[in-house]
Amino acid sequence: MATTYIVDKDGNQIDASTATVPSDRHFRGAWSLSGSVISEDMDAAKAIFKDKVREVRGPLLAEKDVELMKALEAGTSTTAIATAKDALRDAPAASAINAASDIAALKAAWDTSVLGDSPYA
């Protein structure tokens, strides 16, 4: 019978059958091993979360660029579009992300009004 190992963010490994593993695998890249207990490194989890925000906002910014060009061509107001673009640019620096003290709070920091549906729901 083959042994299955779990490897943490630092390359440490443990036999999976002896480990206490977090139930949420969204931030597996932030797992840290302490004895036989695996927990999430919040700094690493926040970095993963911010990368996901950047990934999601890319196409949203492109859509806003198209809307902006159409508004400019039509001579209509671009204020709302510029405000939405600013919110998208600022999303990775949201205070709720930095203030999150656990994974549940981090997942709750997803701003659906700016980024749409959460990938962590």
Side-chain angles (χ1 to χ4, degrees):
M1 180 171 165
T3 302
T4 301
Y5 291 97
I6 296 174
V7 180
D8 75 358
K9 67 180 183 60
D10 298 319
N12 302 312
Q13 70 179 17
I14 186 172
D15 181 344
S17 67
T18 65
T20 302
V21 181
S23 60
D24 188 323
R25 297 177 62 89
H26 284 109
F27 298 97
R28 185 171 182 185
W31 284 4
S32 181
L33 181 61
S34 177
S36 64
V37 177
I38 297 174
S39 60
E40 292 98 352
D41 176 314
M42 283 306 295
D43 289 334
K46 289 175 184 179
I48 292 167
F49 187 90
K50 289 177 182 183
D51 286 345
K52 188 65 167 177
V53 168
R54 290 180 185 104
E55 175 187 324
V56 167
R57 78 172 177 182
L60 298 174
L61 279 168
E63 288 175 20
K64 291 298 175 189
D65 285 341
V66 171
E67 288 179 32
L68 180 67
M69 294 310 296
K70 287 180 179 179
L72 289 172
E73 289 171 356
T76 58
S77 175
T78 60
T79 304
I81 300 166
T83 300
K85 287 180 69 169
D86 285 343
L88 286 165
R89 277 190 214 95
D90 294 342
S95 61
I97 298 170
N98 294 326
S101 59
D102 59 28
I103 294 299
L106 184 59
K107 289 167 68 172
W110 190 269
D111 189 344
T112 57
S113 68
V114 174
L115 299 166
D117 293 339
S118 172
Y120 304 112

